[in-house]
Amino acid sequence: MNKFLFTVRSTLIRIEEFFASVLMIAMTTVTSYGIFERYVIQHGAGWTDELSRYISIAAIFFGASLGIVKGAHVGVEVFVKLLPQSLQAVCARLASLICTAFMGVMAYYGFIYFLRLFKTGQVTPALQFPLCYAFLAVPVGCSLMCAHFLIQLLLTEETEGQNG
């Protein structure tokens, strides 16, 4: 089971790193073009601002998912370190469990919101792109975060089971 979880996690990480990189390159390119268009050509079109905003949102959710793996999110480690060693492990598992549940709920309601927007047929103002796809970053990103927290929780359980 341990090997399978590590394989799943490493595959997810590679996919997320690829998409985060592509999104960051796309956002930089679109933003640079918007600056060039506005200040050099003296003709600013609103689509570059809108597109870079939606790309940024997607990149943030992929980056947040990668942040879980790398331990880059703000935590309450200062308080946990004050607890006895036995309680630290319990608190870490509890935090992972709460985060897993929270991200699962966010993914669920994000998908429900995506479906509602899909039914309305709303489009973005400048690009006339279906607005629902801009909001798809929320359920996808939260699902990835949920998966990482769950894998982290399962690996911790399995490691402690082998040590105990």
Side-chain angles (χ1 to χ4, degrees):
M1 177 78 155
N2 215 354
K3 186 177 179 182
F4 173 73
L5 290 174
F6 279 115
T7 304
V8 169
R9 184 169 72 173
S10 65
T11 302
L12 280 176
I13 290 169
R14 281 196 303 272
I15 291 168
E16 292 164 2
E17 286 175 338
F18 172 77
F19 279 109
S21 298
V22 167
L23 290 167
M24 291 303 292
I25 290 167
M27 185 177 64
T28 302
T29 303
V30 169
T31 303
S32 298
Y33 176 73
I35 292 168
F36 173 78
E37 185 181 53
R38 185 171 293 146
Y39 294 108
V40 175
I41 299 176
Q42 302 284 319
H43 180 274
W47 69 268
T48 57
D49 293 340
E50 186 175 285
L51 183 58
S52 69
R53 183 179 315 116
Y54 294 133
I55 293 172
S56 173
I57 291 167
I60 286 167
F61 277 95
F62 276 102
S65 182
L66 286 170
I68 291 167
V69 176
K70 307 215 186 268
H73 289 285
V74 176
V76 289
E77 254 183 64
V78 174
F79 300 112
V80 174
K81 295 287 183 193
L82 295 174
L83 297 171
Q85 190 75 11
S86 60
L87 287 178
Q88 288 180 16
V90 172
C91 283
R93 279 197 303 266
L94 182 61
S96 287
L97 188 61
I98 290 169
C99 289
T100 302
F102 180 75
M103 286 302 144
V105 168
M106 289 292 294
Y108 173 77
Y109 283 108
F111 188 69
I112 297 297
Y113 191 69
F114 163 79
L115 291 176
R116 284 185 186 161
L117 277 176
F118 183 78
K119 289 178 185 175
T120 67
Q122 283 183 306
V123 294
T124 61
L127 294 170
Q128 297 298 299
F129 182 76
L131 187 62
C132 62
Y133 295 116
F135 281 86
L136 192 57
V138 175
V140 169
C142 289
S143 295
L144 290 169
M145 287 185 261
C146 182
H148 282 300
F149 278 123
L150 184 60
I151 290 169
Q152 186 179 47
L153 186 65
L154 292 173
L155 286 174
T156 303
E157 295 281 329
E158 198 166 298
T159 304
E160 288 180 3
Q162 292 172 355
N163 294 338

